[in-house]
Every structure is written in structure tokens, then in C-alpha cells.
Amino acid sequence: QVQLVESGGGLVQPGGSLKLSCLASGFTLDYNAIGWFRQAPGKEREGVSCISASGRATYYADSVKGRFTISRDNLKNMVYLQMNSLKPEDTAVYFCATPRRYSTTCSSSSNYYTYWGQGTQVTVSS
């Protein structure tokens, strides 16, 4: 059974940093792209970042470019999202997701993804 579990969320002051982790089980991530999404109260789910199966291609939403960095460690079956210079508008529940197996390329569309984690809350507030 495919499972994704996010961790690393929390409360941080504006300008601070957090590193989110996504652990996959039930399959190997080697041949799958992984995306990070977020959803704030009353807003639609937004594609934040994605990394291709090879790790050579990445995508970032304009709102996070230059502040967030996505990476993956296939040996650990983990994907990370390093978030720096956090702003109050980054407050949301963050989800990792992966498409069906052997889908190696990225997409910012949530419809592309089949498996989702439960999410981790990130709150940026002073």
C-alpha cells in the first residue's frame, strides 16, 4: 500500500526557516516525480514545488522561487522542502504527492497526482 507521510511543520516567525520531509512507503520513489502542495483556509490547493524522478528537473511556484528548495534522497525514499525567508502568506497545510508509478515528470496540477499524504501544518506568525 502506497503511503506518504509529511513531517517538519510547525510555528515559525516571519523570516524563519522550516524543512519539511516526505517519507514514502509501499513503493520506491526512484521512478516517480514528487510534488509539494499547500492549502490555506478558504483557498484552493496550490502547487508549490515539484522534483522529477531523476532530480534534474524542478518546478517552483512564483510565490516561493528563491526561498524554497526541493530535494530528494532515493536511498531513504525521502523528499524534502527547505523553506527559508518564510512569510505569513506561506501559512497553510503542506502536502506531498506522487503520481501513479513510473510517472517521472513534474506537473503543477493536483489532478496529475494519485497518492497524497495527510499534510503538515505550517504557521508563519509573530
Side-chain angles (χ1 to χ4, degrees), residues 38-46 88-93 95:
R38 67 186 181 187
Q39 189 164 20
K43 293 189 176 181
E44 292 188 355
R45 191 166 293 189
E46 172 192 17
E89 51 263 43
D90 294 318
T91 295
V93 178
F95 302 88

Side-chain angles (χ1 to χ4, degrees), residues 31-109:
Y31 305 107
N32 272 55
I34 300 290
W36 283 98
F37 289 76
R38 67 186 181 187
Q39 189 164 20
K43 293 189 176 181
E44 292 188 355
R45 191 166 293 189
E46 172 192 17
V48 174
S49 183
C50 177
I51 187 166
S52 66
S54 68
R56 290 194 290 268
T58 56
Y59 159 83
Y60 296 97
D62 288 342
S63 57
V64 307
K65 277 181 184 175
R67 301 188 297 121
F68 290 11
T69 304
I70 192 170
S71 61
R72 63 191 298 155
D73 185 339
N74 287 349
L75 291 179
K76 296 182 179 179
N77 238 23
M78 296 279 285
V79 175
Y80 306 98
L81 186 67
Q82 177 68 47
M83 306 186 297
N84 299 328
S85 302
L86 283 162
K87 305 174 181 180
E89 51 263 43
D90 294 318
T91 295
V93 178
Y94 284 71
F95 302 88
C96 63
T98 193
R100 59 185 173 85
R101 292 195 189 190
Y102 309 114
S103 299
T104 60
T105 57
C106 276
S107 173
S108 61
S109 170

